[in-house]
Structures are given as structure tokens and as C-alpha cells.
């Protein structure tokens, strides 16, 4: 809950931000006391497999993960849409998906394939990967993103935010980012962007408007962290958290037959990886370090409230 | 292997069959001695889930299941396409699929949705079911069937036969059956039809040509059989097998997390059902009864040989 006095502060913050003079972080602009550290513990890839859905639901219900996003084109999306309908307070965004990156288990676009030919391979699936020379058509991207949002809405999901699977819409240039941004504005949804990315991708900052929410930081684990250092990585990140709003982008899942089979061609974001994320973020150790560091949890629902109430 | 003398007999058999005077069964026409009992032990639904793929591969490799068909539109089809490429002697057909009958786990057409609007629901998935008043357009069916065959070929599958998921193309009238038959003829593939169905659906016999292979009988278990009678049902069917070629249409799968979640809204063809099929058809009891009853195994590859060599 944000008290009325903070709403005024928020508007001033947004105004200052808009004219480029603000050194405030998003927590300040939301009206929190200086130095406040807020995190979104955000599970990605829901809908991709049942093993991911089941683990994410368990983690959400245990209260340590408080936000997630759903992959609409994936075969297990209906399971999450059903859950979202019966849990309308859950903080679910849409994990806009334009790739089908595995080998033995695949999916394709929501839009009619004829309308998005640059997004699909010769078999009609989304590309495994985008080769540097591949021409991904921004208009087709926008068609597909709108189709994903429309399917989610039609199936009863009320998303709180949009983000991008594999950061494709963030890291692939101004045209694709602006396609995502247009869709976000159409549906009055915030998108997951952080200031951390502005230096490498200046078009992000250039394209964003004064009313767009920008997170301060993000933390995500990478393949350079060995399995035995998993908890250490997260504990260190939490103990060194900067003030402002940080999204932890995590990938919980169960290391079971389905997930092992679906991800078996490589270990990055594979079944064991996802089990390690599940284990850490549902651990007592994680709860304790949050309390010890006086870190507060926040969701996209709370972040979006000032923006959508304008 | 069929000896040359039998090939001649086969041609005579086909000729007699064509002019409608034959009381021969398919085993006779293939040149087997009178009274020979042949079965195809055929696993359906490969590609639907990993639990089905893994169980079917295990059963195929144990040697008691000798044929199967693949659902091209399903998310786990690529796993089976990969297996088929590396096991070119396996007897894999295509399980032509026009429905997405589950609730929490779904798929849609291979053809561009715009080209097959009568086959999809408002969310772009294949219909759960075909309501009596639903207009399924036969031209669109043919477009989709060709797209399924083309994707399979492009992904390295060399199918030995075609059959129809949930018998939709068999039981839904002459127009849809003839669409399937045109596709089968185009690709020179036999389709799974048995004489058992002619009385209820006379258009089957009327549409089939003299060169089309027609099996004699089929056995499949139904929801009226209680779980504890599963083996009894199959043992009775095997002990009462009639001469000719009979296809056992079975649904092996593992009763694991994925399959339970994918099928949880109803038990028919659910996870426990599929585990029971897997258990019976990989049992020593099944091997013994085949030997005791002097039943031979045959595959679509062997059935199709005379037809495709003409």
C-alpha cells in the first residue's frame, strides 16, 4: 500500500525524472525513505513446462517468490492461465516469447504463421536462435506480441507487466524494443527495464517516456557460477544490494524427467539449474538474509499502481 | 520378408479383393498359410508428452511393441523426429491430429491458422472436441494434414502409414475420410482402416480403392474395463484372436508428474491408464501368450511393401 502523501511525492519524482535532473532511484520516487532496498523475486518461463509451473506455484505459495511471467506460446500456458484466473491477486506478467530455444520440445507463434514469417523456421517453430544475419521484422514482432497479449486476456489472465524471454526485445536494437514499448503502452502495462542496461543499449533510455517505470537494478545468475556456489552468489548479491528496486530474475523448476528431457542438450537454464534456483529461493536461508538485510519485497502490481492511476 | 511366390499370391489376392469376390483376409492375401494370426502392437500418441515418448521408446526397444504413430503438431514431436531419424527401421506412422483434447496442456495446427480457421478455437488451439454443429471444413482438413506430413518429412521422419488421432478422420463422414485418403495416396502411404468398421461407416469401404490396404480387425481397450481387469481384457482378446491381421491400438505412457498433470481432468487415456498399457505390453505374460497362441508380429512396413512396390 502506498499512502496518499507518497503518491504526490511519486508524481514529483516522475516529473524530476522526466526532465532528467533526478538522482532518485525508483524506491525514492515511490515514496520510500532514502536507502530503502526493495526486491521483486521474479520467476521466469512459467508455461514452458509443467515442471516449471509446478515449482513456481509451490514457490509463489510459500511466499518467497512474489512475481512471475508467463510464456503464452508454450504448451503449458493453459495450466498457468487457469491458475491465474483462480488467483487474481498473483503478480503475473507476460514473458513475451519469440524463440523456441530447445531441441526436443518446441513451440511456435500465437499469430498465424503467414503473418509472421520472419519469426519462424522452415518447420513453423520459432527460431532456436536469432543468427546475426537473420532479419527479424519489427512489424511482425508487434503482430506476434499483440497476439500473445490477446490470447492471455482471452484466457482470463490480467497481466501486471511485460518482459522479454531471453531479453530478445531488449538487446536486439531500437526497432524491436519500440515494438514492445508500443504494445506495452497500448495495454497500459509496465515493461521490465533497468537502468543497468542503459549504458550498453542507449536506445532503451532514448525510447522510454517520462511515465515509463524503470527499475534500478537486476540480479540474475549466469553459467559462470558453479553449482556449489549457487547460494553464495545469491547471498553475496543480497548482502551487497544497492538501494532502489532490484528485480531478481530467477528460473525455478523441478529437476524431474520432463524438465531433464526438455533441456537435455545443454545445462544452462537446464533442469538441475532450475532446481537449484527453486531450492535457494524457497530456503530458510533466503528468508533469513532478507530479514537480516532489512530488504522489502515489492511486486509489479504495486509498481504499476501510480502509473496506471494517472 | 515375403518370398517371391507369395508376392504373386498377394497380387492375385488384391485382384480378387478388387472385384469383390474374396473372402480372404489380409494375412491370406499377404501369402501366409490359412488361419495365420498376425498382430501389429501399435502405440498411439507419440509426441504428445515426454512421458508417452519415453515409455513408447522403452517398449519398442524391449521388442514387444513393434509399431507406433507420431503426433506432428504436438510439442514433443521433435523428440520423436530425432529418434526416428536415428532409428530408420522403426515402424513409425503419423497420427494425424486435429484436436487438442486436454485442458491444461494444448497445441494447435501446423498449417498457418489463417488457412484452417474451422479447425481452431478462439485461442488458436485445435478444438478440445468437435461439437455436432461444428463445421469442420474438409478442404482445411486436407491443408492441415498435408502440413503435418510435410513437417514430418522435413524433420527427417519417413512414415510407414497414416492413422487418425481419436479416429476423427474415420468416424466423421465421407468428406473427411476422403481428405485423409487423398493425402495418403499422394504420399503413397497406407492408412489404418479395418473391415470391423465398414458396417457402421459404409463410406469407408465405398471410398477405398482396390489397392488400399485394409486390416481385418482391431483391438483397443475402453473405459468400461476396470483397472484390475486390464491384463484379463488383453489376454482374452489375444486368446480369441481371429485369423488375419489385427492391430492392437494401445497407449503406453508413464504415470509420472508430467503425464498426470497433462491428463488430470479425466482418467480416460490418462496417466494410470497409459502405465497399465505399458506394464501389460512389456510383461513376460504378454510374450508368453503370443508364443502360446502362435501369434506372429507384423509391421506396417511389411504390410505396405507389396502396395508400394507396384
Amino acid at each position: 500500500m502506498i499512502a496518499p502523501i507518497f503518491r504526490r511525492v511519486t508524481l514529483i519524482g516522475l516529473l524530476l525524472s522526466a526532465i532528467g535532473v533526478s538522482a532518485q532511484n525508483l524506491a525514492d520516487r515511490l515514496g520510500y525513505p532514502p536507502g530503502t532496498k526493495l526486491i521483486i523475486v521474479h520467476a521466469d518461463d512459467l508455461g514452458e513446462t509443467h515442471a516449471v509451473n509446478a515449482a513456481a506455484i509451490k514457490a509463489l505459495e510459500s511466499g518467497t517468490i512474489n512475481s512471475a511471467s508467463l510464456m503464452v506460446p508454450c504448451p503449458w500456458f493453459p495450466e498457468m492461465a487457469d491458475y491465474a484466473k483462480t488467483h487474481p491477486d498473483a503478480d503475473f506478467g507476460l514473458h513475451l516469447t519469440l524463440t523456441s530455444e530447445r531441441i526436443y520440445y518446441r513451440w511456435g507463434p500465437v499469430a498465424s504463421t503467414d503473418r509472421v514469417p520472419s519469426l519462424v523456421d522452415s518447420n513453423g517453430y520459432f527460431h532456436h536462435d536469432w543468427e546475426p544475419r537473420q532479419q527479424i521484422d519489427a512489424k511482425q514482432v508487434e503482430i506476434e506480441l499483440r497476439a500473445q497479449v490477446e490470447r492471455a486476456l482471452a484466457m482470463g489472465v490480467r497481466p501486471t507487466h511485460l518482459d522479454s524471454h531471453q531479453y530478445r526485445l531488449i538487446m536486439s536494437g531500437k526497432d524491436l524494443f519500440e515494438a514492445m514499448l508500443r504494445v506495452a503502452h497500448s495495454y497500459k502495462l509496465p515493461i521490465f527495464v533497468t537502468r543497468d542496461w542503459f549504458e550498453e543499449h542507449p536506445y532503451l533510455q532514448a525510447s522510454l517516456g517520462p511515465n515509463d517505470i524503470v527499475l534500478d537494478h537486476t540480479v540474475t545468475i549466469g553459467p559462470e557460477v558453479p553449482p556449489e556456489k549457487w547460494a553464495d552468489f545469491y547471498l553475496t548479491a543480497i548482502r551487497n544490494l544497492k538501494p532502489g528496486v532490484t528485480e531478481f530474475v530467477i528460473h525455478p523448476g523441478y529437476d524431474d524427467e520432463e524438465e531433464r528431457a526438455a533441456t537435455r542438450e545443454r545445462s544452462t537454464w537446464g533442469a538441475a539449474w532450475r532446481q537449484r534456483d527453486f531450492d535457494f529461493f524457497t530456503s530458510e536461508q533466503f528468508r533469513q538474509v532478507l530479514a537480516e538485510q532489512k530488504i522489502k519485497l515489492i511486486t509489479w502490481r504495486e509498481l504499476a499502481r501510480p502509473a496506471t492511476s494517472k
Side-chain angles (χ1 to χ4, degrees), chain A:
Chain A
M1 291 294 290
I2 298 167
I5 187 163
F6 294 143
R7 290 195 183 270
R8 205 158 32 133
V9 177
T10 303
L11 289 172
I12 295 168
L14 287 167
L15 195 65
L16 288 169
S17 165
I19 55 175
V21 298
S22 172
Q24 287 189 311
N25 63 45
L26 179 57
D28 298 331
R29 293 198 297 280
L30 289 168
Y32 287 89
T36 301
K37 298 173 181 177
L38 294 156
I39 65 172
I40 304 167
V41 188
H42 189 278
D44 274 22
D45 298 350
L46 279 64
E48 189 165 0
T49 59
H50 174 68
V52 163
N53 289 355
I57 288 171
K58 177 85 177 163
L60 285 160
E61 294 186 352
S62 79
T64 47
I65 289 178
N66 68 344
S67 184
S69 57
L70 317 180
M71 295 173 77
V72 180
C74 289
W76 282 98
F77 171 71
E79 179 173 60
M80 287 314 308
D82 181 76
Y83 185 87
K85 273 198 296 189
T86 54
H87 296 77
D89 295 332
D91 189 49
F92 288 134
L94 302 182
H95 198 51
L96 300 167
T97 298
L98 298 172
T99 46
S100 174
E101 69 272 23
R102 295 292 173 177
I103 291 179
Y104 302 104
Y105 174 69
R106 306 200 65 202
W107 53 83
V110 175
S112 193
T113 315
D114 283 352
R115 301 188 67 206
V116 293
S118 77
L119 302 185
V120 298
D121 67 16
S122 60
N123 298 315
Y125 302 113
F126 281 136
H127 298 290
H128 275 289
D129 202 354
W130 289 353
E131 304 301 330
R133 293 189 318 170
Q134 209 145 38
Q135 293 299 315
I136 301 296
D137 182 296
K139 282 186 189 155
Q140 293 173 24
V141 165
E142 189 169 338
I143 288 169
E144 173 60 19
L145 300 185
R146 288 182 188 277
Q148 293 185 16
V149 177
E150 286 298 325
R151 176 186 278 182
L153 293 172
M155 291 175 70
V157 178
R158 296 292 168 261
T160 57
H161 63 290
L162 300 177
D163 57 20
S164 169
H165 184 53
Q166 299 187 320
Y167 304 104
R168 297 282 166 168
L169 296 161
I170 301 293
M171 309 303 189
S172 309
K174 182 179 166 73
D175 289 352
L176 298 200
F177 180 66
E178 291 194 345
M180 180 190 190
L181 203 56
R182 278 193 298 277
V183 174
H185 290 166
S186 292
Y187 292 96
K188 299 194 188 331
L189 292 169
I191 60 176
F192 171 42
V193 190
T194 101
R195 289 193 281 124
D196 291 352
W197 301 334
F198 286 174
E199 192 175 326
E200 194 176 350
H201 304 289
Y203 56 81
L204 298 175
Q205 192 167 16
S207 300
L208 288 160
N211 294 331
D212 290 311
I213 291 171
V214 177
L215 302 201
D216 298 299
H217 307 293
T218 185
V219 170
T220 196
I221 205 163
E224 70 286 359
V225 179
E228 68 276 13
K229 296 287 186 191
W230 221 252
D232 283 354
F233 171 87
Y234 286 125
L235 291 170
T236 303
I238 294 163
R239 290 190 175 123
N240 292 290
L241 203 68
K242 294 178 197 154
V245 179
T246 300
E247 177 163 309
F248 277 64
V249 174
I250 67 168
H251 300 85
Y254 289 135
D255 184 10
D256 66 5
E257 284 297 326
E258 178 203 16
E259 193 64 21
R260 278 196 293 274
T263 63
R264 67 186 181 266
E265 71 279 4
R266 63 174 191 277
S267 60
T268 44
W269 295 279
W273 174 306
R274 290 170 191 266
Q275 184 73 51
R276 291 194 295 275
D277 267 7
F278 176 83
D279 291 345
F280 179 78
F281 285 96
T282 57
S283 70
E284 194 47 40
Q285 196 176 26
F286 175 55
R287 284 179 200 276
Q288 280 172 2
V289 74
L290 287 185
E292 167 202 308
Q293 298 292 317
K294 300 190 171 52
I295 292 166
K296 295 179 196 302
L297 293 173
I298 192 167
T299 66
W300 280 99
R301 198 175 287 284
E302 295 160 86
L303 291 181
R305 203 170 288 143
T308 56
S309 68
K310 279 196 295 286

